Amino acid sequence: MDSLTRLATAQRQIGLVAGEPPTTKGYTPSVFNLLPELLERSGRTQSGSITGFYTVLVEGDDMTEPVTDAVRSITDGHIWLSRSLANRGQYPAVDVLQSVSRVMIDVADEDHLQAARRLGHMLAVYGDIEDLVNLGAYATGSNPECDLAVAVQPWIRQFCRQEITERCRLDEARAAVVQLAARIDSAQPAGAQPAAVGQVG
């Protein structure tokens, strides 16, 4: 699919010409009727299943933009591509914390889930203090969990990078996630317990 945003824009123009009143940020009601009609065609049927990948162009990196918000409410997950990560030269520029899978718990085993949650938790902890770290205002030793998040950031960033020509099978990626989570746990200060974390996937 080229872009759901272009589809929504075209439907908005048709709706306006047909006399529909503009509602949310100028989009007509028919846009939000068309999106589920299209997106819900993907999925399991009596004759097989269809997996759909759809792109949405987000205006101003606003995740609450109407089309983006509507698509997120319909699909089984989303992958958020970050402009700032792309500017840093990270490929693919996937923002793990902003990306969500509602089906991961159905397709991943427990070790995989726990490892993904561990990495996501470390990313979230670092995100809370990133501005302080960049300004040089973070004092090492003030919080063991934050110290660990700072220490393991290079490992996680390296894991999230992939060359355009580099290939990786699912089993290889899963093993790498589990190994990285174990490496993070081994770097945990003696006597400290890993924090309970919620689902990241």
Side-chain angles (χ1 to χ4, degrees), residues 108-136:
D109 60 50
E110 188 61 25
D111 289 343
H112 189 176
L113 285 172
Q114 291 297 332
R117 290 170 182 168
R118 186 67 172 136
L119 267 61
H121 181 68
M122 285 290 97
L123 285 171
V125 171
Y126 183 79
D128 290 339
I129 61 170
E130 184 174 11
D131 290 341
L132 293 175
V133 173
N134 291 337
L135 292 172

Side-chain angles (χ1 to χ4, degrees), residues 16-28:
L16 291 173
V17 170
E20 287 186 61
T23 53
T24 311
K25 290 194 176 180
Y27 286 98
T28 56

Side-chain angles (χ1 to χ4, degrees), residues 2-162:
D2 181 13
S3 172
L4 289 174
T5 309
R6 293 192 177 111
L7 175 73
T9 301
Q11 181 60 39
R12 175 175 61 183
Q13 293 172 346
I14 293 171
L16 291 173
V17 170
E20 287 186 61
T23 53
T24 311
K25 290 194 176 180
Y27 286 98
T28 56
S30 61
V31 172
F32 303 103
N33 292 332
L34 178 63
L35 287 174
E37 182 181 337
L38 173 67
L39 294 173
E40 290 175 1
R41 293 179 185 178
S42 300
R44 187 175 298 170
T45 67
Q46 292 180 348
S47 58
S49 63
I50 301 172
T51 299
F53 288 88
Y54 305 93
T55 61
V56 180
L57 307 175
V58 181
E59 185 177 344
D61 291 341
D62 180 11
M63 289 189 72
T64 62
E65 186 268 336
V67 174
T68 307
D69 208 31
V71 172
R72 285 191 304 162
S73 69
I74 299 168
T75 56
D76 289 328
H78 58 270
I79 299 171
W80 181 263
L81 300 179
S82 165
R83 191 191 310 265
S84 63
L85 290 177
N87 290 339
R88 296 178 194 175
Q90 177 173 317
Y91 176 87
V94 175
D95 188 326
V96 175
L97 296 180
Q98 296 287 357
S99 302
V100 172
S101 170
R102 297 186 183 95
V103 298
M104 184 175 182
I105 59 173
D106 298 323
V107 298
D109 60 50
E110 188 61 25
D111 289 343
H112 189 176
L113 285 172
Q114 291 297 332
R117 290 170 182 168
R118 186 67 172 136
L119 267 61
H121 181 68
M122 285 290 97
L123 285 171
V125 171
Y126 183 79
D128 290 339
I129 61 170
E130 184 174 11
D131 290 341
L132 293 175
V133 173
N134 291 337
L135 292 172
Y138 175 72
T140 302
S142 58
N143 185 313
E145 189 174 52
C146 292
D147 291 346
L148 179 62
V150 172
V152 303
Q153 272 312 292
W155 305 348
I156 298 176
R157 286 177 180 168
Q158 182 59 39
F159 172 77
C160 290
R161 285 191 173 94
Q162 182 178 356

